[in-house]
Amino acid sequence: MKQLLSIFLLLFILMSCNKQETNPFFMQWVGPYELPPFEKFTVEHYKDGFNRAFIQQEKDVQAIIDNPSEATFENTIVALDRSYDLLQKVALIFLSATNAQSTPELLAFEVEITPQYSAHYDNILMNPALFERVKFVYDNKDKWDLVGEDAKLLEETYTSFVRNGALLSSADKDSLKSINEQISTLHTLFEQNVLAETGLFEMFVDQKENLSGLPEDLIESAAKRAEKAGKQGWLFGLDNPSVMPFLQFSDMRDLRREMLDAYLNRGNNNNDKDNKQVIQKLIDLRSQKATLLGYSNFADYILEKRMAKTPQAVYNLLDQIWTPGLNMAKTELRDMEALTKILPVEAYDWRYYSEKIMHQKYDLSDEMTRPYFKSENVRDGIFWVCNQLYGISFKALENAPKPHPDAEVFLCLDADGKTELGVLYLDLFARPESKRGGAWCGTYRDPSFSETGQRIIPITYIVCNFSSPTENKPALLSADETETFFHEFGHALHNLFKNVHYIRTTDTPTDFVELPSQIMEHWCFQPAALAQYAKHYETGEVISQELIEKIDNASKFGQGFKTTEYLAASYLDMDYHTQALPKDFDVLAFEAKTLSGRGLIPQIPPRYRSTYFRHTMAGGYAAGYYSYIWSEVLDADAFNAFVETGDIFNKEVADKFRNYILAPGGSEDAEVMYRNFRGSEPYIDALLENRGLK
Ligand SMILES: [Zn+2]
């Protein structure tokens, strides 16, 4: 019998050894820097990954609760932060895939997992036994003499519980859980509706004369698009690389009207992808959530954790810029009317005539600069700027695994040429079938430290939607795209320089996070930088002094329109989250009232209308779209710190910027970081001056 038992035991052990792990999330990622094995992940792996990560974290949390020792900073606060590791690993890779390598299966799973994810978080943050331990540490914080990042971790952990309902009655907790789940489902629905509506509209042109005015590149890509769809002619869509140049260059007024009309009405077509009801429900749920947690409105709730702190502070800033911006936009309109003699100029005329005036006034157009902005040259220019400022360098990693064959991978080395700061992926070209529109920066792995104190380097990525190179032409970027590349690179640098130990102290508030990115834009068109990277893609000749001057002269052109369309969207976002609205409020009427009430002219639509305003309706930037201009006050003022020394590459200032702004991540309060860098509060003057609004 004994022998039989041991045979069974042996068999059992053998069997369990044979059950081989097949999910890459639970296997060692081999190769240098343990880069993600992108080609291996399937939807099944994500499903299994999330499932097991949820279970693992529940166990870890239970272990924290069951710990017989008194709660301490280490055994509760730090242990809780570590319990997110596996889930974070799965979620970061998943998020990058749904945004840039999406498939219908992946998108369907996203709809399924989002509410589960939100419920899982709620279960942790509303767990009374866990909160009791967190609160004990918080109430007795003097015992641990915490400073710096540790103190910040404790503060952030405690407030995250309170802000997620830990102090509510159990009935209210249940209501809040249900609200959160509904909100997260609506975010995904909103996002997917916009994606579908953007893809649905196509404008087919089969007569050559209707292409009048359009640049060659756009015509070429439209022909390709038609060919893909099995048609002979040209197809245009509502994705930015297609619609924006169309509005800017097409001589066909009726077609411009049709395009802009379709663009402005995404999510507002009274079909099954209509977002108006989604918005009504969302705004109502957000308001209920704020009330439940004791705030007078959703903006109050959100802004408490932002640098702005209150809605009043946001409105104060917007108001200071609105009137000069609108006045300038009106001047721009008068210029157009003088040129066109058609009265009135309509919204679908604006970009078109703006381009004409730009050409007339400054003798400058995108087509003149594009040949100098080959994507590889711009990339090398950014590397050069980073090297001038921080002494860092980038080395190509040839055999690294990639999420897509187009992607490039680099190792970032510190000024000593040895210390590895992180790995950077660049995935620059549009893939409308699987990549969302726009440009963004994220991480496959955040920086942290091992138990032995070794820095675990981050793996960061930049995703853009630039036009792909063709057989006979490399990718030539527009001036806007060049600036976007610099912008996203600023986010990547932030990730590469961060020196943080905890998940919860990695990120900065959204109204601060655009400081690292937007400041990079200041170097983009500096003559010294252009002389380095802006070389003609055919002749290699460096951009002429004359063209540099033209770029410089034109830099303030069109700021009335840009400022106004942006601020209009910011007001819309704030008004949705500060005003008491009835459940069945009319979305379009609300939008019209909030905009015309501030004197917005009909020729300028807000940068985003409500039904496709993903920033505010799909999550991240609800009561937060103002963040870009808030950060711009900071970046304009911060760049002046370089200018004031007479050297825009001043290494001392760059060092301070790295140490006080970039390296701390979210381990310090934003306003303290800024003061540490600049020695004072930021002034708005530099922003007004840069935009020509002073
Ligand atoms: Zn950004």
Side-chain angles (χ1 to χ4, degrees):
M1 187 66 184
K2 213 175 177 188
Q3 211 177 1
L4 200 62
L5 254 183
S6 28
I7 288 172
F8 271 129
L9 196 65
L10 190 68
L11 260 177
F12 177 73
I13 291 170
L14 280 173
M15 272 165 64
S16 32
C17 291
N18 272 343
K19 191 188 169 286
Q20 277 212 336
E21 181 59 71
T22 53
N23 188 337
F25 282 118
F26 303 95
M27 294 155 77
Q28 180 84 26
W29 293 352
V30 290
Y33 319 111
E34 295 178 34
L35 302 173
F38 298 100
E39 70 292 348
K40 290 193 180 142
F41 298 113
T42 65
V43 176
E44 290 311 315
H45 292 144
Y46 290 119
K47 284 186 184 172
D48 178 56
F50 274 110
N51 240 327
R52 287 160 70 181
F54 287 156
I55 295 169
Q56 182 60 51
Q57 190 176 21
E58 280 160 17
K59 275 190 196 155
D60 292 348
V61 165
Q62 199 54 49
I64 296 172
I65 296 169
D66 294 342
N67 190 336
S69 317
E70 190 177 83
T72 65
F73 176 70
E74 262 319 305
N75 77 18
T76 301
I77 308 296
V78 175
L80 179 61
D81 195 74
R82 292 222 180 95
S83 77
Y84 284 96
D85 281 353
L86 178 59
L87 186 54
Q88 175 89 344
K89 181 176 179 174
V90 178
L92 286 179
I93 303 284
F94 176 71
L95 186 70
S96 73
T98 53
N99 285 327
Q101 289 89 40
S102 80
T103 59
E105 298 77 44
L106 208 57
L107 292 180
F109 176 59
E110 187 187 20
V111 176
E112 201 180 301
I113 193 67
T114 312
Q116 286 179 39
Y117 195 78
S118 134
H120 173 79
Y121 265 79
D122 283 350
N123 285 337
I124 293 172
L125 294 171
M126 291 186 209
N127 183 318
L130 180 62
F131 181 58
E132 205 179 302
R133 286 181 73 91
V134 170
K135 191 166 182 307
F136 179 83
V137 181
Y138 185 77
D139 290 344
N140 295 286
K141 58 180 151 203
D142 295 346
K143 265 195 187 176
W144 287 277
D145 257 341
L146 301 175
V147 289
E149 191 178 0
D150 290 344
K152 180 79 171 165
L153 175 67
L154 176 59
E155 185 69 35
E156 290 298 314
T157 305
Y158 177 76
T159 52
S160 73
F161 274 83
V162 174
R163 287 173 54 78
N164 282 281
L167 294 172
L168 297 181
S169 70
S170 89
D172 282 349
K173 273 183 193 162
D174 287 343
S175 312
L176 186 56
K177 278 182 194 172
S178 152
I179 290 172
N180 285 343
E181 258 187 79
Q182 295 176 64
I183 288 179
S184 72
T185 303
L186 289 169
H187 286 167
T188 314
L189 182 63
F190 187 94
E191 176 89 50
Q192 296 199 355
N193 282 347
V194 176
L195 192 66
E197 285 268 284
T198 305
L200 266 178
F201 174 88
E202 283 178 333
M203 191 167 72
F204 180 59
V205 172
D206 57 359
Q207 295 189 337
K208 222 170 178 180
E209 58 266 31
N210 284 338
L211 301 174
S212 172
L214 298 180
E216 270 316 307
D217 287 10
L218 183 63
I219 295 177
E220 207 177 305
S221 66
K224 264 197 190 156
R225 207 164 173 150
E227 198 185 305
K228 255 191 180 168
K231 289 183 174 172
Q232 247 209 323
W234 300 268
L235 261 186
F236 299 90
L238 296 182
D239 48 302
N240 277 342
S242 186
V243 65
M244 289 306 157
F246 192 96
L247 292 171
Q248 203 176 349
F249 295 106
S250 171
D251 294 332
M252 313 309 285
R253 199 168 189 237
D254 285 349
L255 298 186
R256 288 202 310 266
R257 177 169 53 208
E258 193 187 325
M259 269 307 236
L260 185 67
D261 202 50
Y263 182 79
L264 293 176
N265 282 299
R266 285 175 295 159
N268 180 32
N269 290 311
N270 300 317
N271 54 14
D272 64 338
K273 304 290 176 209
D274 195 286
N275 267 332
K276 294 195 286 292
Q277 274 190 13
V278 179
I279 295 171
Q280 284 174 346
K281 284 185 203 155
L282 250 180
I283 296 300
D284 179 49
L285 286 163
R286 284 176 180 167
S287 155
Q288 284 184 41
K289 176 171 176 166
T291 310
L292 205 53
L293 290 165
Y295 295 85
S296 50
N297 57 54
F298 191 70
D300 266 330
Y301 168 67
I302 290 292
L303 294 169
E304 181 189 58
K305 294 299 287 177
R306 299 282 153 81
M307 205 174 165
K309 300 284 183 276
T310 64
Q312 202 45 54
V314 175
Y315 281 118
N316 275 348
L317 173 63
L318 300 181
D319 291 348
Q320 281 182 72
I321 312 170
W322 175 250
T323 308
L326 186 61
N327 286 341
M328 189 185 247
K330 286 177 181 166
T331 310
E332 289 167 9
L333 178 62
R334 279 195 293 277
D335 283 354
M336 276 181 217
E337 285 168 344
L339 175 80
T340 64
K341 318 264 190 308
I342 333 168
L343 283 172
V345 168
E346 300 288 351
Y348 47 86
D349 296 322
W350 195 290
R351 286 183 170 81
Y352 178 75
Y353 286 114
S354 177
E355 175 68 26
K356 295 257 177 291
I357 291 173
M358 168 101 152
H359 207 92
Q360 212 177 51
K361 260 194 173 167
Y362 302 100
D363 185 25
L364 183 68
S365 75
D366 249 3
E367 299 320 299
M368 293 162 75
T369 52
R370 252 183 217 276
Y372 295 94
F373 296 148
K374 187 169 95 167
S375 77
E376 290 89 339
N377 289 351
V378 175
R379 176 200 66 202
D380 292 345
I382 300 175
F383 287 171
W384 181 83
V385 167
C386 293
N387 179 267
Q388 293 301 300
L389 290 168
Y390 305 108
I392 59 172
S393 58
F394 294 85
K395 193 178 100 187
L397 290 178
E398 299 298 350
N399 297 315
K402 295 172 176 183
H404 187 274
D406 280 356
E408 292 183 290
V409 195
F410 297 89
L411 176 67
C412 176
L413 294 168
D414 211 342
D416 62 5
K418 285 191 300 241
T419 310
E420 293 162 350
L421 286 172
V423 175
L424 168 72
Y425 279 77
L426 301 177
D427 176 10
L428 301 180
F429 305 118
R431 291 190 296 275
E433 67 288 355
S434 61
K435 202 191 251 190
R436 282 184 181 152
W440 60 93
C441 172
T443 48
Y444 297 125
R445 180 174 74 210
D446 281 326
S448 61
F449 284 84
S450 72
E451 309 230 322
T452 57
Q454 284 280 89
R455 183 170 181 266
I456 298 171
I457 62 170
I459 310 170
T460 184
Y461 59 83
I462 291 173
V463 178
C464 299
N465 270 285
F466 303 151
S467 302
S468 312
T470 60
E471 266 164 43
N472 34 30
K473 229 187 205 177
L476 302 176
L477 308 188
S478 69
D480 268 357
E481 288 172 332
T482 303
E483 203 170 62
T484 299
F485 200 171
F486 272 77
H487 176 108
E488 298 307 333
F489 212 94
H491 285 306
L493 269 188
H494 195 189
N495 292 330
L496 292 167
F497 282 146
K498 273 180 197 170
N499 256 328
V500 290
H501 293 73
Y502 308 116
I503 289 178
R504 202 173 275 290
T505 52
T506 301
D507 294 332
T508 49
T510 46
D511 51 7
F512 183 80
V513 78
E514 300 300 332
L515 161 60
S517 53
Q518 289 176 174
I519 197 168
M520 278 299 285
E521 295 174 25
H522 291 271
W523 281 280
C524 179
F525 301 126
Q526 292 291 337
L530 285 169
Q532 275 299 318
Y533 78 85
K535 294 177 183 155
H536 196 282
Y537 78 101
E538 284 173 322
T539 63
E541 144 226 25
V542 175
I543 195 167
S544 66
Q545 202 50 42
E546 196 195 345
L547 200 47
I548 293 182
E549 268 163 36
K550 282 182 190 173
I551 294 175
D552 192 45
N553 290 337
S555 66
K556 290 184 179 69
F557 177 75
Q559 282 298 337
F561 175 84
K562 283 185 195 156
T563 305
T564 304
E565 67 154 8
Y566 167 80
L567 291 178
S570 304
Y571 278 123
L572 192 57
D573 167 47
M574 284 303 291
D575 288 357
Y576 269 120
H577 299 105
T578 48
Q579 298 184 9
L581 292 167
K583 260 188 172 172
D584 55 350
F585 76 98
D586 182 332
V587 169
L588 300 181
F590 174 80
E591 182 181 291
K593 198 177 141 222
T594 196
L595 299 175
S596 64
R598 290 197 170 82
L600 180 66
I601 50 178
Q603 290 86 352
I604 303 183
R607 177 124 199 215
Y608 299 97
R609 290 192 64 198
S610 310
T611 53
Y612 54 92
F613 200 169
R614 288 165 43 204
H615 290 83
T616 183
M617 300 301 172
Y621 280 74
Y625 191 61
Y626 77 90
S627 296
Y628 296 93
I629 202 113
W630 187 277
S631 288
E632 192 179 321
V633 175
L634 306 177
D635 75 64
D637 185 68
F639 186 70
N640 262 5
F642 288 90
V643 175
E644 284 159 10
T645 68
D647 172 15
I648 56 162
F649 296 104
N650 186 296
K651 286 198 169 49
E652 252 169 73
V653 182
D655 260 1
K656 273 175 112 179
F657 193 76
R658 174 174 172 175
N659 294 331
Y660 293 128
I661 302 282
L662 302 176
S667 65
E668 179 66 273
D669 284 337
E671 48 278 24
V672 175
M673 286 195 265
Y674 196 81
R675 240 180 293 120
N676 286 344
F677 163 68
R678 194 66 164 116
S680 65
E681 308 288 320
Y683 294 103
I684 193 178
D685 308 52
L687 175 147
L688 295 175
E689 185 134 338
N690 290 347
R691 286 188 177 242
L693 299 174
K694 222 176 165 185

